[in-house]
Amino acid sequence: MYAESLKALADPDEFDSMEEKDRIKIIDCNFIYCMTWSLGACVITEHRRNFNIWMRRMLAGDVNEIKNKGKKIVPSIPEAASYYDYVFLNKILHWRHWTEAGLVNIDAPISNKL
């Protein structure tokens, strides 16, 4: 699913022709997505809500243990949503719920989704 989203970046000329703010947005949002599915994938299911809360706090600069607060990542996912449920679509520069992203046929057998 994620590899499908990265196809928008397959052509270096296309990436280089984008405005700098759009390239930064793509890099930032893909970093957040990868962080969710690398660090967040290690979290057991019943603690994923806590990880999601921590991610929101961290991205808002509200974690005391982090000295360098960084910058606000835009666009963000909806407030009531979980980072686990969203994928960043590079072509449209926006987050979408994975079932609405058009990357996976949700009616297909599970073996076709992996």
Side-chain angles (χ1 to χ4, degrees):
M1 178 166 73
Y2 183 63
E4 193 69 29
S5 176
L6 290 177
K7 284 184 180 178
L9 306 179
D11 181 2
D13 293 330
E14 183 179 337
F15 187 73
D16 290 342
S17 69
M18 293 178 179
E19 291 185 38
E20 183 178 2
K21 67 179 179 71
D22 291 339
R23 290 194 307 258
I24 291 170
K25 187 183 295 186
I26 287 171
I27 293 166
D28 288 348
C29 291
N30 279 281
F31 176 81
I32 297 304
Y33 180 84
C34 290
M35 190 169 151
T36 300
W37 287 107
S38 57
L39 294 175
C42 298
V43 176
I44 58 175
T45 304
E46 56 263 20
H47 294 293
R48 285 189 173 186
R49 181 176 179 276
N50 293 336
F51 179 80
N52 193 63
I53 291 168
W54 178 83
M55 283 279 290
R56 286 194 182 280
R57 287 185 56 219
M58 182 196 62
L59 292 172
D62 188 27
V63 176
N64 293 332
E65 295 80 15
I66 298 177
K67 302 297 182 220
N68 180 1
K69 300 302 182 191
K71 62 177 184 161
K72 183 177 173 91
I73 305 292
V74 287
S76 61
I77 66 165
E79 193 63 37
S82 168
Y83 281 94
Y84 290 100
D85 294 332
Y86 278 74
V87 62
F88 186 76
L89 299 178
N90 297 310
K91 285 185 179 181
I92 63 170
L93 303 174
H94 201 51
W95 292 96
R96 287 284 187 259
H97 193 276
W98 71 270
T99 60
E100 300 167 355
L103 301 175
V104 175
N105 178 354
I106 59 174
D107 297 322
I110 190 70
S111 60
N112 293 357
K113 296 176 190 178
L114 301 177

